[in-house]
Amino acid sequence: MSNVNITLPDGSSRAYEAGVTAMEVAKSISEGLARNVLSAKVNGKVWDANRPITEDATVTLLTWNDEDGKSTMWHSSAHLMAEALEFYYPGIKLAIGPPIENGFYYDIDFEDYEFSEEELPKIEKKMLELAREKNEYIRKEISKADAMAYYKERNDPYKIELIEDLEDGEITFYTQGNFTDLCRGPHIPHTGYIKAAKLLSVAGAYWRGDEKNKMLTRIYGVTFPKQKELDEYLALLEEAKKRDHRKIGKELELFTFDDQVGPGLPLWLPKGAFLIDQLEELAKKTERAAGYQRVRTPHIAKESLYLTSGHLPYYKDSMFPPMELDGTTYYLKAMNCPHHHKIFDALPRSYKDLPLRLAEYGTCYRYEKSGELFGLMRVRSLQMNDAHIYCTKEQFAAEFKAVNEMYIKYFKIFGIDKYIMRFSTHDPARLGKKYVDNPQLWKETEDMVRGVLEESGVPFKEVPDEAAFYGPKIDVQIYSVIGREFTLATNQVDFAQPLSFNLTFANQNNEQEHPIVIHRAPLGTHERFLGFLIEHYAGKFPLWLAPEQVRILPISEKFNEGCKKISQSLENYDIRASVDERGEKIGKKIRDAELEKVPIMLVVGEKELENGVVSVRKQGEGDQGQMDIEAFAKWVQDQVNEQLEV
């Protein structure tokens, strides 16, 4: 039998008989390692650990500590849950059951059965019973005709519809125990790797996210290789519930949604609008110092603009339906970049003008499916901290590095200690389909980005087949104080649109040359970033950002007028203050201010007014002593400056 060469991540290479599996490779290294292998990355694609490798390959063994390893286990757990459900509810129709960021779900048509969250514990119990059987996940390639016949016999319209969209020769089934499912995989070796399970919730979801289709039952769950890890995760979930931006946003009167306005279209209340203004002012100040120029663009454009940019073929499903006017088709703006390219092209450009940095807080509209909308995290109207940098190849490294440094500056301001850059590259096999067909420029730009990241020493991981259609990109993953992961910002390289729009500048030889474009959005969108900040701070915003920095609490109503004068004095120091004029006892006023997460409270009675001082309380910390107004104002300003200094 012929041999295959297996190259491992450390660069070492070993020869094995053709048909060797990643699990066998793991065992040849260490039995301990093999016990932890969930799947493997073979030539950049995630495979079953027990799938034969028949040609030379680069292999990375994946465990629970790897994102793709977790994803494999959660995908397998969705199948295990489906098997448990079929045990109790024979004849149910299964739609899709993918892994997600934290766990998995399965969409199910229960038909004549009634199902509620009260049923989840017995499904969990059955899952663990089945897991202990250590049934293998067996992969089987199957023809399209046989796959169709299998699901027609089961009268499953959802799988039949999925199979109709698949190409013959690329269809696989997976079986574990008494359960078989249409699935491309990959899966863990056997069910025994699943040691702890929790089904979290039940929700409704339209088939394929389309409101015109039937509403299915979506069951969310999560599994772990150890009970201790599940217990820790559930504790984290409880803390996350307390910090849920939707709950806190309502309590603090920051934003709201309204059915008449439409789903995914947030309405910002005064305090929320103030937060947006503060973020925008910070960004403007930061960008001015970095040499950006501000521009403004309309919310709508002709179809031809998005055809030229190349966005329409790739993003049409995420754009609002077209509008016809005077025989011309228009779209709501889903991205700012084509508009900025037109601004670049409005004037003749020289190498002396570069780098040209155009910034805008542009409002974009994206038609997220109703089942994917989630508070501020997934919306249909979004205000983006967007900018595009037009530069030469020689300027690229410095510009790209400067954008990354801007990210890090923001992270320090907002107390984000943990982050990682996801460097997304293309798949050469999908050029002309998912990606612009220009192999040379892909290699060139990916090498440039990789070089900048390595030189900068920022934490990053390379992720194949997730680039933008026009070039490689970085997505910034940040973690809140309780360890929840969020996708915040992006930094993208674009070599395609300068060609599409024929953007040029006169170089030093007076020859026309195409610039490189960097798309960047360090603060992402107002919506997603504020959703993150609400949860990160649990609503206790730092002093510089808080809509209400100081609440003045008169001991009785007869001191209201004196407190109003104090408030007016603080305005002269640019300190945001209000007076609680209610006829409540001082204890209740303090409790209410604490609950509303006001950073500083000033208790004022007869003695304070006579002596020209205020009694200062800090949110969550209590009494800070007495100060006169000037000393208090300086104390507040010093804290604000310290928070913004990095």
Side-chain angles (χ1 to χ4, degrees), residues 4-16 20-22 25 29 39-48 51-62 68 462 464:
V4 294
N5 289 317
I6 302 298
T7 303
L8 298 171
D10 64 2
S12 64
S13 184
R14 301 185 184 196
Y16 296 87
V20 68
T21 66
V25 172
I29 299 170
S39 57
K41 193 169 284 187
V42 179
N43 291 333
K45 296 186 182 299
V46 184
W47 275 27
D48 307 307
R51 184 174 170 184
I53 301 170
T54 56
E55 58 185 27
D56 292 351
T58 298
V59 175
T60 302
L61 301 169
L62 301 172
D68 287 322
E462 197 161 323

Coordinates of all heavy atoms in Angstrom, one line a residue, residues 4-16 20-22 25 29 39-48 51-62 68 462 464:
V4 N 1.4 8.1 2.5 CA 1.0 9.6 2.4 C 1.9 10.3 3.5 O 2.2 9.7 4.5 CB -0.5 9.8 2.7 CG1 -1.3 9.3 1.6 CG2 -0.9 9.3 4.1
N5 N 2.3 11.5 3.2 CA 3.1 12.3 4.1 C 2.1 13.3 4.8 O 1.4 14.0 4.2 CB 4.1 13.1 3.3 CG 5.2 12.2 2.8 OD1 5.7 11.4 3.5 ND2 5.6 12.5 1.6
I6 N 2.2 13.2 6.2 CA 1.3 14.0 7.0 C 2.2 15.1 7.6 O 3.2 14.8 8.4 CB 0.6 13.2 8.1 CG1 -0.2 12.1 7.5 CG2 -0.2 14.1 9.0 CD1 -1.4 12.6 6.6
T7 N 1.9 16.4 7.3 CA 2.7 17.5 7.9 C 1.9 18.1 9.1 O 0.7 18.4 8.9 CB 3.0 18.6 6.8 OG1 3.7 18.0 5.7 CG2 3.8 19.7 7.4
L8 N 2.6 18.2 10.2 CA 1.9 18.7 11.4 C 2.2 20.2 11.6 O 3.1 20.7 10.9 CB 2.4 17.9 12.6 CG 2.1 16.4 12.6 CD1 2.8 15.6 13.7 CD2 0.6 16.2 12.6
P9 N 1.5 20.9 12.5 CA 1.7 22.3 12.7 C 3.1 22.8 13.0 O 3.4 23.9 12.6 CB 0.7 22.6 13.8 CG -0.4 21.6 13.7 CD 0.4 20.3 13.3
D10 N 3.9 21.9 13.6 CA 5.2 22.3 14.0 C 6.2 22.2 12.8 O 7.4 22.4 12.9 CB 5.8 21.5 15.2 CG 5.9 20.0 14.8 OD1 5.6 19.6 13.7 OD2 6.3 19.3 15.7
G11 N 5.6 21.8 11.6 CA 6.4 21.7 10.4 C 7.0 20.3 10.2 O 7.6 20.0 9.1
S12 N 6.9 19.4 11.2 CA 7.5 18.1 11.0 C 6.5 17.2 10.1 O 5.3 17.5 10.0 CB 7.6 17.4 12.4 OG 6.3 17.2 13.0
S13 N 7.1 16.3 9.5 CA 6.4 15.4 8.5 C 6.6 14.0 8.8 O 7.8 13.6 9.1 CB 6.8 15.8 7.1 OG 6.1 15.1 6.1
R14 N 5.6 13.2 8.7 CA 5.7 11.7 9.0 C 5.0 11.0 7.8 O 4.0 11.5 7.3 CB 5.0 11.4 10.3 CG 5.6 12.0 11.5 CD 5.0 11.5 12.8 NE 5.4 12.2 14.0 CZ 5.3 11.7 15.2 NH1 4.7 10.5 15.4 NH2 5.7 12.4 16.3
A15 N 5.5 9.8 7.5 CA 4.9 9.0 6.5 C 4.0 8.0 7.2 O 4.3 7.3 8.2 CB 6.0 8.3 5.7
Y16 N 2.8 7.8 6.6 CA 1.8 6.8 7.1 C 1.2 6.1 5.9 O 1.3 6.6 4.7 CB 0.6 7.5 7.8 CG 1.0 8.2 9.1 CD1 1.5 9.5 9.1 CD2 1.0 7.5 10.3 CE1 1.8 10.2 10.3 CE2 1.3 8.2 11.5 CZ 1.7 9.5 11.5 OH 2.1 10.1 12.6
V20 N -4.8 6.4 6.4 CA -4.6 6.7 7.8 C -5.6 7.8 8.3 O -6.0 8.7 7.5 CB -3.2 7.2 8.1 CG1 -2.9 8.6 7.5 CG2 -2.9 7.2 9.6
T21 N -6.1 7.7 9.5 CA -7.0 8.8 10.0 C -6.2 9.7 10.9 O -5.2 9.4 11.4 CB -8.1 8.1 10.8 OG1 -7.6 7.5 12.0 CG2 -8.9 7.1 10.0
A22 N -6.8 10.9 11.2 CA -6.2 11.8 12.1 C -6.1 11.3 13.5 O -5.2 11.5 14.2 CB -7.0 13.1 12.1
V25 N -3.1 9.2 13.6 CA -1.9 10.1 13.7 C -1.8 10.5 15.1 O -0.7 10.5 15.7 CB -2.1 11.3 12.7 CG1 -1.0 12.3 13.0 CG2 -2.1 10.8 11.3
I29 N 1.4 9.7 18.1 CA 2.1 10.8 18.9 C 2.0 10.5 20.4 O 2.9 10.5 21.1 CB 1.6 12.2 18.5 CG1 1.8 12.5 17.0 CG2 2.2 13.3 19.4 CD1 1.1 13.7 16.5
S39 N -11.7 16.3 16.3 CA -11.8 16.4 14.9 C -10.4 16.8 14.4 O -9.5 16.9 15.2 CB -12.9 17.3 14.3 OG -12.7 18.6 14.9
A40 N -10.3 17.1 13.1 CA -8.9 17.5 12.6 C -9.1 18.5 11.4 O -10.2 18.4 10.7 CB -8.1 16.3 12.2
K41 N -8.2 19.3 11.3 CA -8.2 20.2 10.1 C -7.2 19.6 9.1 O -6.0 19.4 9.3 CB -7.7 21.6 10.5 CG -8.0 22.6 9.4 CD -7.8 24.0 9.9 CE -8.9 24.5 10.8 NZ -8.8 25.9 11.1
V42 N -7.7 19.2 7.9 CA -7.0 18.5 6.9 C -6.9 19.4 5.7 O -8.0 19.7 5.1 CB -7.6 17.1 6.5 CG1 -6.8 16.4 5.4 CG2 -7.7 16.2 7.8
N43 N -5.7 19.9 5.4 CA -5.5 20.8 4.3 C -6.5 22.0 4.4 O -7.1 22.4 3.4 CB -5.7 20.1 2.9 CG -4.6 19.2 2.6 OD1 -3.5 19.3 3.1 ND2 -4.9 18.1 1.8
G44 N -6.7 22.5 5.6 CA -7.5 23.7 5.9 C -8.9 23.4 6.1 O -9.7 24.4 6.4
K45 N -9.4 22.2 5.9 CA -10.8 21.9 6.1 C -11.0 21.0 7.3 O -10.2 20.1 7.5 CB -11.4 21.3 4.8 CG -11.4 22.2 3.6 CD -12.1 21.6 2.4 CE -12.1 22.5 1.2 NZ -12.7 23.8 1.4
V46 N -12.1 21.2 8.1 CA -12.3 20.4 9.3 C -13.0 19.1 8.9 O -14.0 19.0 8.2 CB -13.2 21.2 10.3 CG1 -13.4 20.3 11.5 CG2 -12.6 22.5 10.6
W47 N -12.3 18.0 9.3 CA -12.8 16.6 9.0 C -13.1 15.8 10.2 O -12.6 16.2 11.3 CB -11.6 15.9 8.2 CG -11.6 16.1 6.8 CD1 -12.0 17.2 6.1 CD2 -11.0 15.2 5.8 NE1 -11.7 17.0 4.7 CE2 -11.1 15.8 4.5 CE3 -10.4 14.0 5.9 CZ2 -10.6 15.2 3.4 CZ3 -9.9 13.4 4.7 CH2 -10.1 14.0 3.5
D48 N -13.8 14.7 10.0 CA -13.9 13.7 11.1 C -12.6 13.2 11.5 O -11.7 12.9 10.6 CB -14.8 12.6 10.7 CG -16.1 13.0 10.1 OD1 -16.8 13.8 10.8 OD2 -16.5 12.6 9.0
R51 N -11.9 9.9 9.6 CA -12.1 9.8 8.1 C -10.7 9.6 7.5 O -9.7 10.2 7.8 CB -12.6 11.2 7.6 CG -12.9 11.2 6.1 CD -13.6 12.5 5.8 NE -13.6 12.7 4.3 CZ -14.1 13.8 3.7 NH1 -14.5 14.8 4.5 NH2 -14.1 13.9 2.4
P52 N -10.6 8.6 6.6 CA -9.4 8.2 6.0 C -8.7 9.4 5.1 O -9.5 10.1 4.4 CB -9.7 7.0 5.0 CG -11.0 6.5 5.6 CD -11.7 7.7 6.1
I53 N -7.4 9.5 5.3 CA -6.7 10.5 4.5 C -5.9 9.7 3.4 O -5.1 8.9 3.7 CB -5.7 11.3 5.4 CG1 -6.5 12.0 6.5 CG2 -4.9 12.3 4.6 CD1 -5.6 12.6 7.6
T54 N -6.2 10.0 2.2 CA -5.6 9.2 1.1 C -4.6 9.9 0.2 O -4.1 9.4 -0.8 CB -6.8 8.7 0.1 OG1 -7.5 9.9 -0.3 CG2 -7.8 7.8 0.9
E55 N -4.2 11.1 0.6 CA -3.2 11.9 -0.1 C -2.4 12.7 0.9 O -2.8 12.9 2.0 CB -3.8 12.8 -1.2 CG -4.8 13.8 -0.7 CD -5.5 14.6 -1.8 OE1 -5.6 14.0 -2.9 OE2 -5.9 15.7 -1.5
D56 N -1.2 13.2 0.4 CA -0.4 14.0 1.3 C -1.3 15.2 1.9 O -2.1 15.8 1.1 CB 0.8 14.6 0.5 CG 1.8 13.5 0.1 OD1 1.6 12.4 0.6 OD2 2.7 13.8 -0.7
A57 N -1.1 15.5 3.1 CA -1.9 16.5 3.8 C -1.2 17.2 4.9 O -0.3 16.6 5.6 CB -3.2 15.8 4.3
T58 N -1.6 18.4 5.1 CA -1.3 19.1 6.4 C -2.4 18.9 7.4 O -3.6 19.2 7.0 CB -1.1 20.6 6.1 OG1 0.0 20.8 5.1 CG2 -0.7 21.4 7.3
V59 N -2.1 18.5 8.5 CA -3.1 18.1 9.5 C -2.9 18.8 10.8 O -1.8 18.8 11.4 CB -3.0 16.5 9.7 CG1 -4.0 16.1 10.9 CG2 -3.4 15.8 8.5
T60 N -3.9 19.4 11.3 CA -4.0 19.9 12.7 C -5.0 19.2 13.5 O -6.2 19.1 13.1 CB -4.3 21.4 12.6 OG1 -3.4 22.1 11.8 CG2 -4.3 22.0 14.0
L61 N -4.6 18.6 14.6 CA -5.5 17.9 15.5 C -6.3 18.9 16.4 O -5.7 19.8 17.0 CB -4.7 16.9 16.3 CG -3.9 15.9 15.6 CD1 -2.9 15.1 16.5 CD2 -4.8 14.9 14.8
L62 N -7.6 18.7 16.4 CA -8.4 19.7 17.1 C -9.0 19.1 18.4 O -9.6 18.0 18.4 CB -9.6 20.1 16.2 CG -9.1 20.8 14.9 CD1 -10.3 21.0 13.9 CD2 -8.4 22.1 15.1
D68 N -12.7 25.2 16.4 CA -13.3 24.2 15.5 C -13.6 22.9 16.2 O -14.5 22.1 15.8 CB -12.4 24.0 14.3 CG -12.3 25.1 13.3 OD1 -13.4 25.7 13.1 OD2 -11.3 25.5 12.8
E462 N -5.2 32.9 12.1 CA -5.6 32.9 10.7 C -6.7 31.9 10.4 O -6.7 30.8 10.9 CB -4.3 32.5 9.9 CG -4.4 32.9 8.4 CD -3.1 32.9 7.7 OE1 -2.1 33.3 8.4 OE2 -3.0 32.5 6.6
P464 N -9.0 30.4 7.3 CA -9.2 30.3 5.9 C -10.7 30.4 5.5 O -11.6 30.1 6.3 CB -8.6 28.9 5.6 CG -8.8 28.2 6.8 CD -8.7 29.1 7.9

